[in-house]
Amino acid sequence: MFADMKSVQIVTTIAELRAEIARWRSNGDTIGLVPTMGALHEGHLSLVRQTQSRCARTVTSIFVNPAQFAPHEDFDRYPRTLESDAEKLAQAEIDLIFAPTVAEMYPKGFASRIEVGGPSVGLETDFRPHFFAGVATVVAKLLIAAMPDFAIFGEKDYQQLLVIRRLTKDLGLPIEIGGGAIAREKDGLAMSSRNAYLKPEQRKVAGQLNRILSGAVQSVRAGKTIATEEAHARAELLRAGFDAVDYVAIRDAVTLEKIEVVAREARILAAVKIGGTRLIDNMAI
Ligand code: PAF
């Protein structure tokens, strides 16, 4: 029975992270990084597996980053489950967890902030103006601390993935940024650590997000106009029981610019609210 009990090393400082990675590098190992805010679910674990299939060593970072939350958002109640996360990562046989404190990532006097333009403009930024600077700053710090060959981010936060690709390119970091397909529950709801906030009746409504976006994709493929389908999807989401629709938008999949017709790869993206919980989802057209 005890033979099954696995554990994984946890380090909390950048110096320890760098020392461990330097040791692996000296053996010629390739390094993969899976940045997370913890409360791990199957979506995160699929990112871990993808990284393990490409790199000799996999590090997962767990850090609830205060810089990407506005004062009125859910930083304080965001789930923190380090013990069970560590168990899941031990089962997945990753090599190291980096779980820094806020003081380690943002020591006294910290005064820098990375602003990314391009794909940051619009959508999430219209509703969470602080968000991408917070993400870009912490992701740049994590990438520079670990200097992996490969780092991966989930496609559920599709705009975030494009912002991180832009950031990595603009800073000239020699790191490949991968995107992991969205892991979904049986009814199609995209897996998210925030799904834990949903009450049973809200959870039922939440499953409609994916259904309504899929319907819009089918209609656009069948020839309906983008403007018609965006308006129709918004009305359907409200009818299904969501309290607010921040946006539902069909955009160019590479630049996230507005489009009038689908002439090349496009994506539908949405953010909705139910009770105090905000959910996002997206899919290819
Ligand atoms: O997607 C997330 O979990 C976070 O935004 C990230 C990329 C780990 C940065 O804090």
Side-chain angles (χ1 to χ4, degrees), residues 17-18 21 25 30-35 51 54-55 57 59 136 138-153 161-179:
L17 172 72
R18 286 204 169 124
I21 288 177
R25 286 277 186 215
T30 51
I31 314 293
L33 176 69
V34 186
T51 306
R54 301 181 49 127
C55 302
R57 302 286 187 169
V59 180
V138 82
V139 169
K141 283 199 63 131
L142 291 167
L143 293 178
I144 291 167
M147 270 299 174
D149 301 284
F150 176 75
I152 192 164
F153 300 83
L161 173 62
L162 297 191
V163 169
I164 292 168
R165 285 207 168 115
R166 184 75 261 162
L167 165 84
T168 309
K169 210 170 187 174
D170 290 353
L171 296 186
L173 299 174
I175 300 167
E176 187 187 339
I177 302 296

Side-chain angles (χ1 to χ4, degrees), residues 35-37 63 65 68 131 135 138-139 153 157 160 164:
T36 79
M37 298 207 299
F63 179 62
N65 172 34
Q68 68 191 74
F131 179 63
V135 168
V138 82
V139 169
F153 300 83
D157 295 79
Q160 169 178 277
I164 292 168

Side-chain angles (χ1 to χ4, degrees), residues 63 80 107 133 138 245 280 282:
F63 179 62
R80 286 158 174 88
V138 82
V245 178
I280 57 173
N282 70 85

Side-chain angles (χ1 to χ4, degrees), residues 9-17 62-63 82 96-105:
Q9 190 191 351
I10 304 181
V11 296
T12 57
T13 66
I14 292 173
E16 289 168 306
L17 172 72
I62 297 181
F63 179 62
L82 184 58
L96 185 69
I97 295 174
F98 175 52
T101 59
V102 171
E104 176 69 11
M105 294 302 278

Side-chain angles (χ1 to χ4, degrees), residues 2 34 38 60 86 107 113 129 131 146 153 194 239 256 275 277 283:
F2 289 109
V34 186
T60 299
R113 191 176 129 95
F131 179 63
F153 300 83
R194 289 190 168 99
R239 216 176 3 251
L256 290 185
T277 305
M283 62 189 71

Side-chain angles (χ1 to χ4, degrees), residues 262-285:
V262 179
R264 52 182 208 148
E265 223 187 309
R267 199 111 190 157
I268 186 164
L269 305 103
V272 294
K273 285 192 188 126
I274 181 157
T277 305
R278 188 168 183 276
L279 302 173
I280 57 173
D281 199 354
N282 70 85
M283 62 189 71
I285 298 201

Side-chain angles (χ1 to χ4, degrees), residues 6 19 32 66 68 88 90 99 101 134 142 150 189 197 224 238 249 269 275:
K6 297 185 174 125
Q68 68 191 74
K88 287 176 190 166
T101 59
L142 291 167
F150 176 75
L189 177 64
Y197 300 152
K224 290 262 173 66
L238 293 171
L269 305 103

